[in-house]
Amino acid sequence: DWQEPLWVAVYPIAGDATASTRDYIDQLDVATFGPIERFLAEQARAHGKRVTRPSRIALGPRLSEAPPVPPEDGSLLSVMAWSLRLRYWAWTHQSDALLSDISLFVIFHDPTRTPRVPHSLGLKEGGIGVVHAFAVNDMTQSNNVVMTHELLHTVGATDKYDPATDQPWHPHGFAEPRRQPPYPQQHAEIMGGMIPVAPDRATIPRSLDQVVVGAATAAEIGW
């Protein structure tokens, strides 16, 4: 009900064995994720929610093991089995020192080795997010956008884009659905994922400064 802050634990995981990925993870601290806290606070106020600090983020220990990957076939039974394995894996890898509502397991990749990362995901059941991110300082703020998107999945937000094209759906996937002309938009809706600049083209937001929580998403998460 957003009367108290959501406690979010971030667990970094190296997605490869490169020195650059290791060094990037080593320099992470709580301040790295401060923009997420500020974004949620600003957007909550914009939707009339009187909560000073909707979230508190803590940095958990670096993990040496990645979570189980989703099944490729996507059948109902295999997805259910994977979901159970993921929740058990998360339970066994969460830190006893961090009493969190949500756990984000962030797998960092060297972009020179992995220029395109797998899809991230967030599960409401268990409050678990698995985020694939880039281990380079220039991508830290866009990583925060992806982390926020998956964090909001864990509290009930749904995707608002076409998975086949990644194009945001109108109207709920647009930051300004009533804008005339509708293109180009200036911001991304957080669950729309991208900034629509033309009917068949959208750009990736560089930071949370280019993102808003739309009315439909706000309703889904209880704002």
Side-chain angles (χ1 to χ4, degrees):
D1 59 7
W2 301 97
Q3 297 302 308
E4 298 291 338
L6 282 174
W7 285 88
V8 182
V10 176
Y11 296 91
I13 302 168
D16 52 59
T18 63
S20 60
T21 296
R22 182 191 65 239
D23 292 344
Y24 181 85
I25 290 175
D26 287 345
Q27 56 90 40
L28 293 174
D29 57 23
V30 173
T32 306
F33 313 109
I36 299 176
E37 286 194 8
R38 292 192 291 273
F39 171 80
L40 292 175
E42 292 167 359
Q43 293 299 305
R45 287 194 296 270
H47 287 281
K49 203 69 178 177
R50 295 183 179 180
V51 54
T52 304
R53 196 173 181 181
S55 65
R56 289 178 179 267
I57 297 178
L59 181 60
R62 175 178 172 177
L63 302 181
S64 58
E65 180 185 352
V69 298
E72 293 185 3
D73 61 18
S75 69
L76 179 60
L77 286 178
S78 61
V79 169
M80 290 175 62
W82 162 78
S83 176
L84 290 172
R85 288 198 304 272
L86 175 61
R87 279 182 272 175
Y88 178 77
W89 181 93
W91 177 70
T92 60
H93 287 76
Q94 290 164 337
S95 171
D96 292 337
L98 297 177
L99 299 177
S100 60
D101 302 297
I102 297 166
S103 296
L104 296 181
F105 299 96
V106 186
I107 306 170
F108 290 97
H109 303 266
D110 181 343
T112 63
R113 294 188 57 173
T114 311
R116 187 177 179 86
V117 298
H119 282 293
S120 300
L121 59 94
L123 298 180
K124 187 174 182 181
E125 297 81 5
I128 300 167
V130 177
V131 178
H132 290 274
F134 290 110
V136 59
N137 288 326
D138 289 347
M139 299 294 289
T140 295
Q141 297 309 318
S142 58
N143 289 342
N144 282 340
V145 175
V146 180
M147 291 174 63
T148 305
H149 178 101
E150 303 308 336
L151 188 161
L152 292 182
H153 269 314
T154 70
V155 291
T158 60
D159 283 327
K160 295 171 180 64
Y161 63 88
D162 184 341
T165 63
D166 289 337
Q167 294 294 307
W169 283 323
H170 189 274
H172 298 316
F174 281 50
E176 297 179 274
R178 298 181 181 179
R179 181 184 179 93
Q180 292 297 330
Y183 304 99
Q185 294 275 308
Q186 301 302 309
H187 295 82
E189 202 284 331
I190 185 62
M191 303 311 293
M194 301 182 76
I195 305 171
V197 296
D200 59 350
R201 189 164 62 91
T203 61
I204 298 172
R206 295 187 298 274
S207 75
L208 287 166
D209 291 335
Q210 294 183 296
V211 181
V212 301
V213 173
T217 297
E220 288 172 340
I221 66 174
W223 285 0

